[in-house]
Amino acid sequence: SMIVTSTIGSIKRYKRQHAPPPPFYGAWSAEEITLDGKDGLLDPDGWRQVVFQKAGSVTIELTPGARRACALALDQAAKKMTIEQCEPQKLPGWRAELSYAEPEADVLVLEGTVNGRQLRAKMRKMKFAEKKFHWIVDLEDH
């Protein structure tokens, strides 16, 4: 189970144990999303939220609220990402191949194919009300 903590000790421990935060570190919320050219905010394949917490992985929250933890391969030179091998439901052959752009601060535009469907998403970085709260999933101690 995931334990969400906001303690300073946890943050310091996290920094000691982990590499620097990955690009796009944090939670991003879909401001606009289209699938095959149609509004994807109500589509079951639509992405409501994307969380980058550690290198090599990404968590996607789908529109119905289901969450998937997936493997992430990032090619920063080409500005491309490949997402696959999602848990808990392993969908055979499911993969997303996306290009990304950062047109302005705290905005991430993703474009490409998700499981053969055309996706375009404008994601905005979520600001937590309290700057000092860091949402860290601490798996080592539990």
Side-chain angles (χ1 to χ4, degrees):
S1 69
M2 292 189 180
I3 308 294
V4 178
T5 64
S6 60
T7 62
I8 298 298
S10 173
I11 293 165
K12 284 184 177 151
R13 188 166 60 249
Y14 181 92
K15 286 184 171 152
R16 274 202 309 274
Q17 291 172 353
H18 297 267
F24 321 125
Y25 179 80
W28 300 75
S29 181
E31 206 165 75
E32 297 162 21
I33 182 164
T34 58
L35 280 157
D36 297 330
K38 298 183 181 70
D39 188 350
L41 287 171
L42 296 173
D43 192 300
D45 289 334
W47 295 5
R48 181 187 292 176
Q49 198 176 308
V50 179
V51 180
F52 298 93
Q53 186 166 275
K54 58 181 194 286
S57 72
V58 60
T59 300
I60 298 166
E61 184 181 338
L62 299 170
T63 307
R67 288 211 161 130
R68 282 192 194 143
C70 309
L72 169 72
L74 206 55
D75 180 342
Q76 289 181 260
K79 289 198 183 302
K80 287 189 185 307
M81 60 175 76
T82 302
I83 302 169
E84 55 194 343
Q85 296 167 341
C86 298
E87 304 282 0
Q89 326 81 316
K90 265 233 179 9
L91 303 173
W94 188 99
R95 66 190 276 143
E97 298 200 26
L98 305 168
S99 62
Y100 63 84
E102 296 170 275
E104 54 189 282
D106 296 336
V107 171
L108 185 61
V109 175
L110 304 173
E111 221 163 337
T113 59
V114 177
N115 211 27
R117 300 185 70 185
Q118 286 294 322
L119 173 119
R120 186 180 191 282
K122 181 183 178 190
M123 313 295 293
R124 188 168 292 275
K125 190 161 197 180
M126 294 170 74
K127 298 258 193 280
F128 293 108
E130 288 282 342
K131 278 275 193 287
K132 65 179 180 280
F133 283 82
H134 287 254
W135 299 91
I136 288 166
V137 178
D138 206 336
L139 300 173
E140 281 88 355
D141 297 349
H142 300 280

